[in-house]
Amino acid sequence: SFALLNGAWPKDMSGCDVVLVGDEDGISKKVFGRYFKNVSNIEQADHLSENVIIAISTKVSAWRGLSGIDEETLKKINMLLKRAKRSAVVSFGSPYVLAGIKGAGALAAAYGYDEWIQEQFVHHIFEGAEFFGKLPVNIPIQEAQG
């Protein structure tokens, strides 16, 4: 199951652009590409619409520290969120990555980054299903905007 940490996941996702972060195995590209027209990675994300879903995939590995993404990438994510009218962020893998995210309309966490988990998540959000999951850890998150 999936946990909603903050905000409300957008009910209407038509016209949303998807930005992928840390998608080393190409899993997110494959899954989200089936459902969304505009899927790009964070390096190509300058031309986006005002409606953005950011999907962050992290494998927990000691050398990356807890968060799994670097400072520069986090800055880019937060800049995108600042410009967006509607936004949502989902973390596949380590939920700690969400602690540094500022200004997202919604923050959600999935417990893993495998293809079937991401596929389930996309079905979940398209069905407008409720988020019943609870995180086993406490993550200090920033308040949602608007």
Side-chain angles (χ1 to χ4, degrees):
S1 79
F2 307 107
L4 187 67
L5 280 67
N6 202 357
W9 196 270
K11 287 286 178 235
D12 174 21
M13 280 169 298
S14 56
C16 277
D17 291 335
V18 177
V19 178
L20 308 177
V21 179
D23 184 32
E24 289 166 24
D25 306 326
I27 293 173
S28 305
K29 179 98 178 143
K30 193 163 133 189
V31 173
F32 283 89
R34 286 188 210 123
Y35 300 90
F36 292 90
K37 267 208 308 259
N38 194 359
V39 179
S40 58
N41 65 34
I42 190 81
E43 286 76 31
Q44 315 152 322
D46 296 333
H47 56 281
L48 297 175
S49 80
E50 300 170 321
N51 305 317
V52 182
I53 294 170
I54 298 177
I56 305 171
S57 301
T58 50
K59 296 177 183 176
V60 181
S61 51
W63 59 270
R64 284 192 183 167
L66 269 180
S67 73
I69 56 172
D70 59 56
E71 220 31 61
E72 198 50 43
T73 305
L74 190 58
K75 269 192 204 133
K76 283 182 187 168
I77 291 170
N78 289 333
M79 269 173 51
L80 279 179
L81 292 172
K82 208 177 196 152
R83 291 202 314 243
K85 273 211 173 92
R86 280 189 315 150
S87 63
V89 178
V90 57
S91 162
F92 295 106
S94 169
Y96 289 102
V97 74
L98 298 172
I101 306 286
K102 293 185 183 79
L107 291 176
Y111 313 118
Y113 56 89
D114 302 358
E115 186 171 341
W116 66 272
I117 291 172
Q118 297 200 24
E119 188 79 47
Q120 270 192 318
F121 182 80
V122 174
H123 282 292
H124 182 88
I125 58 176
F126 270 105
E127 288 164 9
E130 294 294 315
F131 287 81
F132 290 116
K134 292 271 180 274
L135 282 186
V137 291
N138 198 11
I139 294 169
I141 53 172
Q142 317 277 337
E143 280 312 301
Q145 65 182 25

